[in-house]
Amino acid sequence: KPIVKEWCFTPNNEKTIYQGNDVSALFREAHQMLYNYEVTSLRWTAEYRPGNYLLRQEAAKFMTEFAKNVLCRQKTKTYQNKFNDIAWVDPTLKSYIIESYEYGIFKWDSWGKYTTFRPKEVIKKNELAAIMVRLITNEFSEGTKGDWSKNYRVTLDKYLEGVKFTSVSRANVAEVIYSLYKNNKFVMKDVWYVVVDK
């Protein structure tokens, strides 16, 4: 993007492979961008599993790579063995769960003496909206306890063009992240790129 002056990651320039599956043109663009920024390592449109819901451990990888490779985000915390439920997760995703905490993307749930990440649960739409807004704005705007995520959903809609955040399917999440990046200007603030307010 022309507005980006400094690169923290050199994007690849490889074409993704369309496998004839039922995906939108916007998804194919989004998949191309995400593959070249290594947000996903799946080059093929069907193998990306666009209709599947995003698990929390997958969201940790997705958002951590987006934060690092696209927004040039720096770590703000140090992991201190917080999560009691990640010992047996997919070993290729465990480091992303830890990093997602260190980058301030994910928090944890406390249940007495246990602190959990819930890696194999499908991520909820409200939490995903909050994460995406926090990533691009570097702001926390929790609403009331009755509807804590309303501010995030409203803000997210403000920055989206040509797509709606309708589900936590892997295709819709890809389209939303791509729209946020493609249709907005970002400037470097402190330790990463932040969207220019609309």
Side-chain angles (χ1 to χ4, degrees):
K1 288 171 62 78
I3 196 72
V4 174
K5 305 297 182 191
E6 303 170 34
W7 292 98
C8 50
F9 175 84
T10 304
N12 299 320
N13 188 25
E14 297 180 24
K15 294 289 185 188
T16 51
I17 299 168
Y18 177 49
Q19 295 177 296
N21 54 321
D22 184 21
V23 291
S24 69
L26 178 61
F27 168 77
R28 290 179 65 184
E29 282 183 44
H31 183 228
Q32 177 74 35
M33 176 263 187
L34 296 174
Y35 177 74
N36 280 295
Y37 275 94
E38 293 184 6
V39 175
T40 180
S41 57
L42 298 169
R43 188 175 188 180
W44 307 269
T45 56
E47 292 187 20
Y48 178 87
R49 295 174 287 127
N52 285 25
Y53 290 136
L54 201 61
L55 300 180
R56 290 176 60 82
Q57 63 184 351
E58 294 171 325
K61 176 183 179 182
F62 199 93
M63 296 303 164
T64 297
E65 292 289 28
F66 185 81
K68 289 191 303 188
N69 299 347
V70 180
L71 299 178
C72 300
R73 188 165 185 156
Q74 303 295 312
K75 292 179 180 179
T76 57
K77 299 177 183 180
T78 302
Y79 181 70
Q80 298 171 341
N81 200 25
K82 286 278 185 189
F83 302 121
N84 300 102
D85 60 350
I86 66 169
W88 297 279
V89 299
D90 180 335
T92 66
L93 297 175
K94 184 175 180 178
S95 64
Y96 291 108
I97 293 171
I98 292 168
E99 283 187 302
S100 73
Y101 170 80
E102 294 177 326
Y103 281 103
I105 299 167
F106 278 94
K107 297 182 183 178
W108 63 85
D109 296 318
S110 293
W111 306 96
K113 63 180 181 176
Y114 297 102
T115 305
T116 61
F117 184 82
R118 296 175 286 119
K120 296 188 179 179
E121 285 186 17
V122 172
I123 191 166
K124 302 284 191 293
K125 189 177 171 196
N126 287 346
E127 183 180 18
L128 201 49
I131 288 167
M132 289 190 280
V133 170
R134 289 178 196 146
L135 277 177
I136 66 166
T137 65
N138 190 31
E139 293 178 4
F140 293 77
S141 56
E142 312 279 313
T144 62
K145 286 192 176 189
D147 192 358
W148 69 272
S149 68
K150 181 178 179 183
N151 294 337
Y152 291 116
R153 297 193 315 269
V154 169
T155 302
L156 186 62
D157 286 343
K158 181 172 77 168
Y159 289 108
L160 289 177
E161 291 181 24
V163 65
K164 293 279 187 192
F165 183 38
T166 56
S167 79
V168 292
S169 74
R170 294 166 63 92
N172 191 232
V173 173
E175 291 170 347
V176 168
I177 283 286
Y178 177 61
S179 174
L180 290 173
Y181 177 68
K182 178 184 177 187
N183 298 314
N184 294 284
K185 292 183 178 179
F186 288 78
V187 292
M188 183 62 85
K189 293 279 184 76
D190 298 328
V191 294
W192 70 84
Y193 282 99
V194 176
V195 71
V196 175
D197 192 29
K198 282 190 175 181

